[in-house]
Structure formats: structure tokens, C-alpha cells
Amino acid sequence: MFAVPPFPIACRRAALIAVAGLALLVGGCSDEGRDPVVVSVMGDRDDFAKPLAHLPDPGAKLILEATAQGLVAFDAGGEILPALAQRWIVEDGGRSYIFRLRRAFWANGARVTAPDVARMLMARIESLRRLDPDGPLDAVQAVVPMTGEVIEIRLAAPRPYVLQMLAQPQMAVLSRDGGTGPYRRRTQGNAQFLTPIDRNSGDDVAADEPVPPWQTRVLRAERAALAIIRFREGDAALVLGGRFTDLPLLVPAGIDRDNVRIDPVRGLLGLAVTSRGKLLDDAAIRAAINMSIDRSQLPALFPLGGWATSERILPDPMDLGRVPSDPAWAGLSVEQRRAQAGASVTRWRADNGDPPPLRIALPTGPGATLLFGLLQRDLAAIGLPARRVATTADADLRLIDEVAAYDSALWYLGRIGCARKIHCSDVADAQLQAASLASSAEERAARFAQAEAQMVAHDGYIPLGAPVRWSLVAKRLTGFQPSARARHPLNHLFRTTN
């Protein structure tokens, strides 16, 4: 197994000082139910300093969710709930979303108004559309203020996942001075100290009295091994941002299985073909890579949580209109697949000589090391050498490990389409573009279905299964719930929320 780096163990009582609300010096063992909640999230401090630039890192998502809410948000169970908008209605057959804003204030004390929010949201939407013109915001025509407290989002065509998209961290309403809560933050050393905002006045909660310590959150972004040991020693009540890469650290660290929570997420975990050339432009070679991987071995690599493996791009029909496609070789045994794949590699070698090593970009962490070992072995079985490279390096195959932002075939197919610089099918890309212009849900589903079948046949993306997301949770956090979105709002950690 992999050794955990040493960590200085010092169990200290948290000190609490009330100065203009609250100042904290946190370093130690939590007093059940009274002390501030200390949270470690896997990442680095840049995730907190420049969160929009560091999405989708867990720390960037968490700090935006805590300090700069959007119109709506996800609750602890992954369902939509009000945030900056207190309520909304949907009209015109799903082409008009009208939101009434709650009373809210910027950090400088100015009142948040509908014109402010409309302008910021439209600017953010236009920015995201430049990167992904056929993406989830393709149908937005305008965001307009109707009164000082009401805005309307007008769509050219219905999009049933609009609310899920508006709950994403990149849709946070953020001014130069910060967001509207539910927390205010300040930095002290390597930590972020979050105190709650009164939803009615926009002021810090009970500014003339000390904030109840349990309502305060203390955030650190740090490497996985440090976060795990901090939790084990009682110096943190919550660890967020766990992925398959760090899962093997839990057993040697002696973490109690009851403290590990696995999120039931869906999304993409697989290898995207991200380079071109004589080898990877050969459709038979891309298919050979895909069929050579023995996915049944993946769950055995990881001691906790399991792994829902798959050979499909989509986990279920969603708005595809039919069952997702299986690859042509899905009914073959592993031995039959490898025999067919090996024959394709032998043919290529006869025509072109020895193939160059496939450069596989993977993140750091022992789980990624185990995954590379499996990939290297399986590719070697069909005559393809492989070497591991950093995620920032040029690569032939690059790991995608992302939770689906919303429940539509568009998210899955768009994430591995031509716009993302993945080896793609022009025919499939044309179908995705046509889907954005479809005049009916039936036509849109038909376009999705054609694009999905083309992408499966093209083998530009090699599915491995569902993403793995996990947290470490102290017993005192009675409101924590596993989330289908891997989102854990910091003001929903107790059954009685602040």
C-alpha cells in the first residue's frame, strides 16, 4: 500500500475570540456541537483566491457556493432550492423563467437589484457561450430586469435543465467586492474564516453579539494526505473533494469506514483521445484501445466505495430518447476483444513499424498510479506501449473525471465533442449543433441519438465508469447528506441549519 506522509500530531483546543463578530484561532480537537466546523478541501490556496479561474476544482466550487450564491443552489441532497432568488415561475412552455430576488446586499452594503443581477448573469452567460456555443446556455436570448426585484430569463426554446445549470458555481452572482453569501469570508493565515449573513438584512449575523461558534466555518485547501490525517486526529470535522486518486490513502491512515461517505454521482470517468497522427487517426487502433481495457478489474483496485464501471458514454437514456448505445464489441469476452484488438495493432505495425508509446495524462495520487498500472498492462497485452505524463503535458490520452452538471445527453456529448479538442466525429458534432436549433423535443432527442451513436462508433472517448466522489464526515455533522451532485453546502451541515 502507499505510505501516508508524516504529519505533526498535536491535539489542541480551539480558541475563540469575539472581535467585531468573531475572530478564530483554530488548530485542534473539536468539541462536539459547540466548536467551529473545520473543513479541509483537497486542493490549494489558489482555489480560494481566484475561484472562477480554478473551476472545477473542489475548493473553487466550495468557496463560490459559500460566498457568492447564484439565483438557485443545490441543497445537501442535490436538489434545487432558492438562493438569491426567493421564488420563481416558469411560463410560455418553458421559454420564460421569472425570478423574484430576496432582500440581499453586497459586501459594501449596497442593495442588490434586479438590473445588477441581470447584467452580471448575461455577461457570464455570454462568456460561457464563447467557449461552448452549443452548450446548455445556447437557447438564452436575454436576461432582463422586469422590476427592481424581478428578472426574467428568456429562452428561444425550452431547456428542462436550466435550473440545474443556474445552480452551478460558474453562475454565481459576484461583484468586485464579493458575493451575497450565505457567508462572509476573511483570510487568516492559510485558512478562510466564514461567518453567516443574515438573510433578511444582509448584515453579518448578530453583528452586536458573538456568532455561535458552531455556525462558523474554517476552510483549508490542502493535499489529500494532510487533510486525511487532520481528520483522523480530530483537527477537522469534514474533508471534501475526495476522488478515486486518493481513495487508497484511507485504509493505511486508519480511517473508520463509518466516517467515509460516497456520493451517488453520475458523469464521465474515462480517457479522451487528445492527439492526432498516424496511430490515433486509425479508427481500428482507437477501437483496439477501447476494447482492450478490462473494466471488471477496476473495483478491485480500491478498498472503499466500489466503482460502477461502464462501456457506455451515457449512464441512462435521459433525453436521448432510447437506451444508450453499446460499442460494437460489447458482447465479446475480454479474450475475444484482445484477440481482435491485437490483430489491429499487428496490422498497423506491419504497415508502419513499431507504434510510439501512448502518453497517458493522469493526475497525481496513488489511485491514479494503480489505474495507470492497469492501463499499461492491458495495452501491453495488445502490443501498445504506454507511459504516464502529467496533466499539464502533451498527451495522447487524457483522463476526464467530472460530475455531470445537469441531466441531459448534451452535457455528456458536449463534454467530449469537437469544441473540447478531443479526437471527434465531424458528423456527430454537426448533429449536436443541429440539436441546439431543433424546434421540438422529439427532434432534439433524435439529433442527440444520432450524435451519440456516431461518438460511440468513433472511439474518441474511452469510458471507464462513473466518477468517484467521497468525503470524511464527523458524527457531529448531523445534516450532512450524500449528494448526487457532489455538492455539500456549508450551511446545511446540521439538521438545524443557519
Side-chain angles (χ1 to χ4, degrees):
M1 297 300 291
F2 296 86
V4 179
F7 181 78
I9 300 173
C11 214
R12 304 171 297 276
R13 180 71 60 184
L16 182 64
I17 305 173
V19 179
L22 192 63
L24 298 167
L25 296 174
V26 177
C29 302
S30 294
D31 185 347
E32 296 282 320
R34 286 209 309 265
D35 285 355
V37 178
V38 181
V39 181
S40 289
V41 59
M42 297 180 191
D44 59 52
R45 280 178 287 174
D46 285 345
D47 294 341
F48 293 158
K50 299 178 179 178
L52 284 174
H54 285 264
L55 291 172
D57 292 354
K61 287 183 177 181
L62 188 64
I63 200 69
L64 283 171
E65 185 175 69
T67 63
Q69 62 201 325
L71 292 174
V72 295
F74 289 116
D75 67 11
E79 300 297 324
I80 295 293
L81 82 167
L84 190 55
Q86 59 181 326
R87 60 182 180 271
W88 59 89
I89 58 173
V90 182
E91 296 187 337
D92 192 20
R95 293 177 175 84
S96 172
Y97 284 72
I98 299 173
F99 299 87
R100 176 170 290 279
L101 305 181
R102 66 174 178 82
R103 179 182 172 88
F105 295 83
W106 301 113
N108 63 6
R111 178 77 180 267
V112 174
T113 66
D116 292 336
V117 175
R119 173 176 48 81
M120 293 175 184
L121 280 180
M122 196 64 215
R124 188 68 50 78
I125 288 169
E126 289 174 346
S127 174
L128 293 171
R129 274 205 303 228
R130 284 193 291 271
L131 298 175
D132 193 5
D134 302 313
L137 303 171
D138 65 323
V140 176
Q141 292 181 313
V143 182
V144 295
M146 301 178 72
T147 70
E149 298 177 343
V150 177
I151 68 168
E152 179 188 17
I153 297 180
R154 297 174 181 168
L155 306 176
R159 295 290 185 264
Y161 43 78
V162 163
L163 291 176
Q164 294 175 354
M165 189 61 204
L166 290 174
Q168 298 304 313
Q170 60 265 40
M171 300 307 296
V173 178
L174 188 65
S175 74
R176 290 182 180 180
D177 297 320
T180 61
Y183 292 95
R184 295 267 191 255
R185 70 163 167 166
R186 64 179 179 81
T187 302
Q188 182 173 319
N190 294 332
Q192 299 289 317
F193 292 78
L194 306 183
T195 50
I197 297 171
D198 188 306
R199 286 178 60 87
N200 295 316
S201 68
D203 297 328
D204 293 350
V205 170
D208 57 342
E209 300 176 5
V211 176
W214 67 271
Q215 292 190 8
T216 301
R217 308 290 181 257
V218 183
L219 271 60
R220 291 186 180 89
E222 53 197 1
R223 57 193 174 90
L226 186 58
I228 291 168
I229 298 304
R230 193 186 298 278
F231 180 87
R232 187 189 69 185
E233 298 306 315
D235 291 338
L238 181 64
V239 173
L240 297 173
R243 303 191 177 198
F244 83 95
T245 51
D246 305 301
L247 200 53
L249 292 173
L250 297 180
V251 168
I255 297 299
D256 191 321
R257 184 181 293 265
D258 290 341
N259 293 125
V260 182
R261 308 290 179 85
I262 305 295
D263 287 325
V265 297
R266 303 192 301 176
L268 292 174
L269 181 69
L271 300 168
V273 180
T274 51
S275 73
R276 290 186 174 269
K278 190 173 290 186
L279 182 66
L280 292 175
D281 284 348
D282 190 318
I285 294 298
R286 296 195 305 274
I289 295 170
N290 200 350
M291 70 175 72
S292 70
I293 299 170
D294 185 1
R295 293 160 178 81
S296 69
Q297 297 301 307
L298 289 171
L301 296 180
F302 302 97
L304 290 172
W307 199 329
T309 62
S310 179
E311 298 159 352
R312 296 174 170 179
I313 297 174
L314 272 66
D316 60 44
M318 288 181 281
D319 50 0
L320 190 66
R322 59 164 172 75
V323 174
S325 302
D326 287 312
W329 42 263
L332 302 178
S333 67
V334 171
E335 293 75 17
Q336 290 171 322
R337 296 176 188 182
R338 288 184 177 165
Q340 185 175 324
S344 295
V345 174
T346 298
R347 173 195 56 76
W348 194 94
R349 181 179 282 108
D351 294 338
N352 303 282
D354 289 340
L358 290 169
R359 300 164 298 173
I360 304 178
L362 296 173
T364 59
T369 300
L370 292 173
L371 176 60
F372 177 73
L374 182 145
L375 295 172
Q376 186 179 45
R377 181 202 68 189
D378 289 353
L379 291 169
I382 63 169
L384 289 176
R387 65 184 178 90
R388 181 177 178 177
V389 299
T391 55
T392 55
D394 292 337
D396 302 305
L397 303 175
R398 189 176 298 279
L399 186 75
I400 296 177
D401 180 8
E402 295 183 16
V403 175
Y406 52 94
D407 298 325
S408 170
L410 177 62
W411 183 86
Y412 292 83
L413 303 181
R415 181 59 188 86
I416 57 174
C418 298
R420 301 295 184 129
K421 299 182 180 179
I422 292 171
H423 202 299
C424 63
S425 163
D426 291 335
V427 175
D429 196 58
Q431 292 294 342
L432 277 184
Q433 293 177 21
S436 70
L437 302 174
S439 58
S440 68
E442 291 75 17
E443 181 187 356
R444 188 172 171 84
R447 298 289 190 182
F448 281 155
Q450 293 176 55
E452 186 257 2
Q454 290 287 344
M455 286 187 174
V456 170
H458 186 78
D459 290 301
Y461 172 72
I462 299 161
L464 298 177
V468 174
R469 295 292 185 269
W470 56 270
S471 307
L472 300 181
V473 185
K475 291 180 180 178
R476 67 180 286 216
L477 303 184
T478 54
F480 184 95
Q481 297 180 42
S483 167
R485 305 290 174 189
R487 303 281 290 278
H488 300 288
L490 296 179
N491 58 339
H492 287 257
L493 298 180
F494 296 93
R495 289 200 180 101
T496 302
T497 59
N498 49 300

Coordinates of all heavy atoms in Angstrom, one line a residue, residues 1-2 41 53 56 72 126 129 156 278 300 322-323 326 352 395 422 449 459 465:
M1 N 0.9 -1.2 0.0 CA 0.0 0.0 0.0 C 0.9 1.3 0.0 O 2.1 1.2 0.1 CB -0.9 0.0 1.2 CG -1.9 -1.1 1.2 SD -3.0 -1.2 -0.2 CE -4.0 0.3 0.2
F2 N 0.3 2.4 -0.1 CA 1.0 3.7 -0.2 C 1.1 4.3 1.2 O 0.1 4.4 1.9 CB 0.3 4.6 -1.1 CG 0.3 4.1 -2.5 CD1 -0.7 3.3 -3.0 CD2 1.3 4.5 -3.4 CE1 -0.7 2.8 -4.2 CE2 1.3 4.0 -4.7 CZ 0.3 3.1 -5.1
V41 N -10.5 20.9 2.3 CA -10.9 20.5 1.0 C -9.6 20.3 0.2 O -8.6 21.0 0.3 CB -11.8 21.7 0.3 CG1 -11.1 23.0 0.3 CG2 -12.3 21.2 -1.0
A53 N -11.4 31.2 -11.9 CA -10.3 30.7 -12.8 C -9.9 29.3 -12.5 O -9.2 28.7 -13.3 CB -9.1 31.7 -12.6
P56 N -13.1 23.4 -12.4 CA -14.0 22.9 -11.4 C -13.3 22.3 -10.2 O -13.8 21.3 -9.6 CB -14.7 21.8 -12.2 CG -13.6 21.2 -13.1 CD -12.7 22.4 -13.5
V72 N -30.3 30.2 -7.8 CA -30.7 29.0 -7.1 C -29.4 28.2 -6.7 O -28.3 28.5 -7.1 CB -31.6 28.1 -8.0 CG1 -32.9 28.8 -8.3 CG2 -30.9 27.7 -9.3
E126 N -22.8 35.0 -21.7 CA -22.1 35.3 -23.0 C -20.6 34.8 -22.9 O -20.1 34.2 -23.9 CB -22.1 36.8 -23.3 CG -23.5 37.2 -23.7 CD -23.6 38.7 -23.8 OE1 -22.6 39.4 -23.4 OE2 -24.6 39.2 -24.4
R129 N -20.7 31.0 -23.3 CA -21.2 30.6 -24.6 C -20.0 30.7 -25.7 O -20.0 30.0 -26.6 CB -22.4 31.4 -25.1 CG -23.7 30.8 -24.6 CD -24.8 31.2 -25.5 NE -25.0 32.6 -25.6 CZ -26.2 33.2 -25.5 NH1 -27.3 32.5 -25.2 NH2 -26.3 34.5 -25.6
A156 N -35.0 30.8 -26.3 CA -35.5 30.6 -27.7 C -36.3 29.3 -27.8 O -37.2 29.1 -28.6 CB -34.4 30.6 -28.7
K278 N -0.7 9.4 -37.2 CA -0.9 8.1 -38.0 C -1.6 7.0 -37.1 O -2.4 6.3 -37.5 CB 0.3 7.6 -38.6 CG 0.2 6.5 -39.6 CD 1.5 6.1 -40.3 CE 1.8 7.3 -41.3 NZ 3.1 6.9 -42.1
A300 N -11.7 -3.7 -7.9 CA -10.8 -4.4 -7.0 C -9.6 -3.6 -6.6 O -8.9 -3.9 -5.6 CB -10.3 -5.7 -7.7
R322 N -33.8 7.0 -26.2 CA -33.7 5.5 -26.3 C -32.6 5.1 -25.3 O -31.9 5.9 -24.7 CB -33.3 5.1 -27.7 CG -32.0 5.7 -28.2 CD -31.5 5.1 -29.4 NE -30.3 5.8 -30.0 CZ -29.1 5.8 -29.6 NH1 -28.8 5.2 -28.4 NH2 -28.1 6.5 -30.2
V323 N -32.4 3.8 -25.2 CA -31.3 3.2 -24.4 C -29.9 3.6 -25.0 O -29.8 3.6 -26.2 CB -31.4 1.7 -24.2 CG1 -30.2 1.1 -23.5 CG2 -32.7 1.3 -23.6
D326 N -24.3 0.6 -26.9 CA -23.1 -0.1 -26.5 C -22.1 -0.1 -27.7 O -22.6 -0.1 -28.9 CB -23.5 -1.6 -26.2 CG -24.3 -1.7 -24.9 OD1 -23.8 -1.1 -23.9 OD2 -25.3 -2.4 -24.9
N352 N 3.5 0.2 -40.6 CA 4.1 1.5 -40.1 C 5.3 1.3 -39.2 O 5.9 2.3 -38.8 CB 3.1 2.3 -39.4 CG 1.8 2.6 -40.3 OD1 1.9 3.5 -41.1 ND2 0.8 1.9 -40.0
A395 N -0.4 15.0 -24.4 CA -0.8 13.7 -24.2 C -1.6 13.1 -25.3 O -2.2 13.9 -26.1 CB -1.6 13.6 -22.9
I422 N -11.0 17.2 -28.6 CA -10.9 15.8 -28.5 C -11.1 15.2 -29.8 O -11.8 15.8 -30.7 CB -12.0 15.3 -27.5 CG1 -11.7 15.7 -26.1 CG2 -12.2 13.8 -27.6 CD1 -12.8 15.5 -25.1
A449 N -29.6 11.3 -30.3 CA -29.4 9.9 -30.6 C -28.4 9.6 -31.7 O -27.5 8.7 -31.6 CB -30.7 9.2 -30.9
D459 N -15.0 6.2 -31.2 CA -14.0 5.9 -30.1 C -13.0 7.0 -29.8 O -11.8 6.8 -29.5 CB -13.2 4.6 -30.6 CG -14.0 3.3 -30.5 OD1 -14.5 3.0 -29.5 OD2 -14.2 2.7 -31.6
G465 N -16.2 4.4 -16.4 CA -17.3 4.2 -15.5 C -17.8 5.5 -14.9 O -17.6 6.6 -15.5

